[in-house]
Amino acid sequence: MPTPDAAPRPPAVILAGGQGRRMGHADKALCPLAGRPLLDHVIARLGPQCGALALSANGDAGRFARFGLPVLADPTPDHPGPLAGLLAGMDWAAARGAAMILSAAVDTPFLPPDMAARLMAAAGQGAAIAVSPDDTGRMRAHPTAGLWPVDARDDLRAALAAGDRRLMAWAEAQNAAHVPFAAQPVDPFFNLNTPADVAMAERLIAP
């Protein structure tokens, strides 16, 4: 019997609209890691898992020209955080006729290669986010690493207009499924917030 066609790969948005305060206000996407911009590492991890890829970022889009990605500015004022980047991604995905969108943060260079497939399997027609164990073994949610129904964007727009800026609260409101990922040999959702985190990631990448 013929094998059923695999589910189409969803488009994805890399969330890079943060202000990098703990990095000295550096542009995280362009922060060097093992001789390459951090954004390069995330593209390499996420690109094979998605059907199209966009970058959520504010400011001069020209600084990302070398990466060849659509750059999506926040659709709301005052840079309210990753929820605004997710909304920009949802609007972009809707224009492409997509039903779902994958999201990931630009400061997570160790994303698992099966993230999209596992989130899709758990989400059904709803949302799903990744969870992984912290140093104590307690499961920690990573709402930036999620899969979202595009038709929820009007609700998200209304939430932002009402002043909601918490991505985890939005995920809970969507009844997002929690999908566990192992943290061996490194937490795949380890995010680089400080120069010390970058130095640790350098050691993890080094052969």
Side-chain angles (χ1 to χ4, degrees):
M1 294 178 63
T3 302
D5 291 340
R9 294 180 298 168
V13 59
I14 298 173
L15 303 173
Q19 300 181 44
R21 292 184 180 91
R22 285 186 282 173
M23 286 280 201
H25 293 278
D27 196 331
K28 275 193 183 182
L30 302 178
C31 176
L33 176 64
R36 299 159 55 201
L38 186 50
L39 178 56
D40 257 350
H41 293 270
V42 179
I43 291 171
R45 293 276 180 157
L46 197 59
Q49 305 185 52
C50 63
L53 191 56
L55 179 67
S56 162
N58 298 300
D60 178 16
R63 70 192 192 277
F64 302 116
R66 74 181 106 162
F67 300 100
L69 301 179
V71 179
L72 314 175
D74 286 354
T76 56
D78 303 325
H79 305 313
L83 274 179
L86 180 58
L87 177 58
M90 284 181 166
D91 286 340
W92 166 76
R96 300 179 60 87
M100 307 290 286
I101 186 167
L102 187 69
S103 65
V106 76
D107 59 1
T108 51
F110 301 110
L111 293 171
D114 60 348
M115 184 177 83
R118 293 187 58 197
L119 292 177
M120 289 174 68
Q125 300 301 308
I129 61 173
V131 298
S132 65
D134 63 17
D135 293 340
T136 70
R138 181 178 179 181
M139 298 305 285
R140 178 186 173 202
H142 306 281
T144 55
L147 184 74
W148 313 93
V150 169
D151 63 9
R153 69 189 188 282
D154 289 339
D155 289 340
L156 178 50
R157 204 181 317 275
L160 280 166
D164 192 348
R165 298 188 173 198
R166 299 169 299 160
L167 182 52
M168 190 64 220
W170 169 254
E172 291 172 348
Q174 299 302 302
N175 296 313
H178 286 202
V179 182
F181 289 82
Q184 297 295 331
V186 59
D187 183 348
F189 305 103
F190 171 41
N191 60 307
L192 313 189
N193 286 317
T194 67
D197 292 336
V198 175
M200 181 179 293
E202 291 270 4
R203 292 192 294 271
L204 292 169
I205 289 174

